[in-house]
C-alpha cells in the first residue's frame, strides 16, 4: 500500500514539474516575440514622475510561477526582459522598486 501511494505522489510531482517547464518554455518564446506570458499572477505598471529617472519612463512587469516578464521604455528606447522573479532587474533598480 505504501509503495502505491509513493508511486502516485511521484507521478503527481512529475506531472506538475513537466507542466511548469512547458509553461516556462511557452512564456519564454512569447517574451521573445514581445508578447505577454500566458498566466500573470501579479502585474505592475509604473510611470516615472521625474524624481529618479526622466518623466514619462514606463515599466511593466508580469510575474508568473517563479519568473517575470518586463518591458521598460525610456527616451524612445524599449527594453524587454524575461528572468527569475526573485532577482531585481536593471529597470527595477533604476526606478527604485
Amino acid at each position: 500500500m505504501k509503495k502505491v501511494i509513493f508511486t502516485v505522489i511521484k507521478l503527481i510531482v512529475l506531472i506538475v514539474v513537466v507542466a511548469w517547464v512547458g509553461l516556462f518554455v511557452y512564456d519564454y518564446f512569447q517574451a521573445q516575440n514581445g508578447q505577454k506570458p500566458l498566466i500573470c499572477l501579479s502585474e505592475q505598471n509604473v510611470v516615472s514622475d521625474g524624481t529618479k529617472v526622466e518623466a514619462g519612463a514606463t515599466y511593466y512587469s508580469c510575474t508568473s510561477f517563479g519568473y517575470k516578464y518586463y518591458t521598460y521604455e525610456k527616451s524612445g528606447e524599449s527594453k524587454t526582459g524575461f528572468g527569475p522573479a526573485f532577482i531585481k532587474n536593471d529597470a527595477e533598480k533604476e526606478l527604485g522598486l
Side-chain angles (χ1 to χ4, degrees):
M1 185 66 173
K2 284 184 179 182
K3 190 172 185 174
V4 172
I5 293 173
F6 185 67
T7 304
V8 170
I9 290 173
K10 284 189 340 185
L11 183 63
I12 290 171
V13 169
L14 181 66
I15 290 170
V16 168
V17 169
V18 168
W20 180 80
V21 169
L23 182 65
F24 178 83
V25 169
Y26 178 80
D27 285 346
Y28 174 78
F29 286 111
Q30 287 284 96
Q32 295 300 315
N33 293 326
Q35 299 173 353
K36 294 180 184 178
L38 186 62
I39 298 174
C40 281
L41 298 177
S42 68
E43 291 183 293
Q44 181 179 20
N45 282 311
V46 177
V47 178
S48 175
D49 58 0
T51 55
K52 295 184 180 183
V53 295
E54 69 182 54
T58 60
Y59 174 76
Y60 168 80
S61 94
C62 171
T63 304
S64 192
F65 296 103
Y67 53 90
K68 148 176 47 178
Y69 164 79
Y70 65 91
T71 59
Y72 181 59
E73 296 178 19
K74 179 177 95 171
S75 302
E77 295 180 22
S78 180
K79 180 178 178 183
T80 301
F82 187 82
F86 51 86
I87 296 177
K88 285 189 173 186
N89 55 50
D90 294 335
E92 289 175 328
K93 292 176 185 173
E94 188 174 332
L95 291 170
L97 300 174

